[in-house]
Amino acid sequence: MIRMAYLDDQNLQNRLIREYQRIIITNQLEDNWENAKEKYNVLNNLPFTLRQIVVGKFSTLIRVYNKFDEIMSDLEVNTQNDIKTYLRDEVFKYKGSIHDKDIAPFFRKYASELKIHTCHYCDMAYINVYKYEDDNEKVEKSHFDLDHVIERSSCPLLSLSLFNLVPSCQVCNSRIKYQKGLSKDKYLLNKFSPTSSGFSFDESVVIELYPKEEKIKPYMSNRDAYQIHFNCQKDEDYKEYVKTLHLQERYEYHKVEALRLKDLQEKYPPANIEYISNLLGIPREEVKEDLFGEKFADKEHRCFKKLRRDILKY
């Protein structure tokens, strides 16, 4: 539910594209791609350059995916599988040296600028880079997975594509999404991928604390009377995103975060905050921040940022 930082920073995006292209599009990759087109002549029907495949924006990747599917649909299943396997294992090889030596280090290098702090799919788990020394050698590791929005099994052409990789937690990547994908609908993929300019989860969905029957206060003491609800009325397409990642069920365990905030709002309404501000001689906004910590959570990239913002806003 967190847009990739480069989507809203064109200078950063251009810099990342140049750097990623330089390290990924090697002579070896170019040769392997040409060999693939010689081996499977049908691949010459793809009207895309290697650069478009590797560093094209997500909308371009969807076009690649569509055309690849169109080409594959005219072939026998065994031929389809042969081509996909060859592309995955011999051309766009993600696992192994290119991941360990190039792709993972690339994302670690730009982790700060990319704002890799919490899972881009769920905002429930921390993801980060950590360092340690091993036999006097400095080691840097990734405490996150890189998920392929468009699965390698579906379109191995996009295995190395920058805009197809999402820093995520292991639960979203390996246990929930795995190979079933965010959606079978390519139109929805363009809306659901945090790497896509069309991703607007934050504006389209509101996380609510919903009473099962009627509101009972205090909230924390009556936690069973409430449930977390993802309101998708502004764009009902996101119901599928919420369902696929089991966000409502997973957030339910953490509803105490919302219950506590609602109790604080009851205890410290604007009039009380104004009174404390006057009593202590400190700005009203400072009192509010000390109580609710919204700016701290955003600045320090704590989990459940959207939950906190939505509960405090509505």
Side-chain angles (χ1 to χ4, degrees), residues 136-149:
N136 296 320
E137 181 181 353
K138 292 184 178 179
V139 180
E140 189 174 65
K141 292 289 185 179
S142 307
H143 185 61
F144 58 86
D145 289 352
L146 288 172
D147 177 64
H148 290 84
V149 181

Side-chain angles (χ1 to χ4, degrees), residues 108-125:
R108 288 198 293 267
K109 176 181 178 181
Y110 291 103
S112 178
E113 290 176 272
L114 285 171
K115 299 179 181 178
I116 298 178
H117 302 291
T118 62
C119 177
H120 282 71
Y121 284 133
C122 70
D123 192 32
M124 293 179 64

Side-chain angles (χ1 to χ4, degrees), residues 39-40 60 62 83 99 111-112 130 137-138 150 164 178 222 233 238 240 246 257 266 271 304 308:
K39 184 177 178 67
Y40 299 104
T60 299
I62 290 292
I83 292 175
H99 171 271
S112 178
Y130 65 96
E137 181 181 353
K138 292 184 178 179
I150 300 170
N164 196 34
Y178 194 43
N222 295 281
Q233 287 184 348
Y238 280 100
E240 183 174 335
H246 302 301
E257 302 282 346
E266 289 290 320
F304 304 110
R308 189 176 292 104

Side-chain angles (χ1 to χ4, degrees), residues 25 32 54 59-60 80 189-191 205 222 236 256 263 268 273 276 286 298 301:
I25 304 181
N32 289 345
V54 173
S59 57
T60 299
Q80 291 182 36
L189 274 182
N190 204 38
K191 295 179 70 172
V205 180
N222 295 281
E236 296 203 351
V256 289
D263 275 340
Y268 299 101
I273 291 175
I276 295 171
E286 188 175 328
D298 283 344
H301 311 288

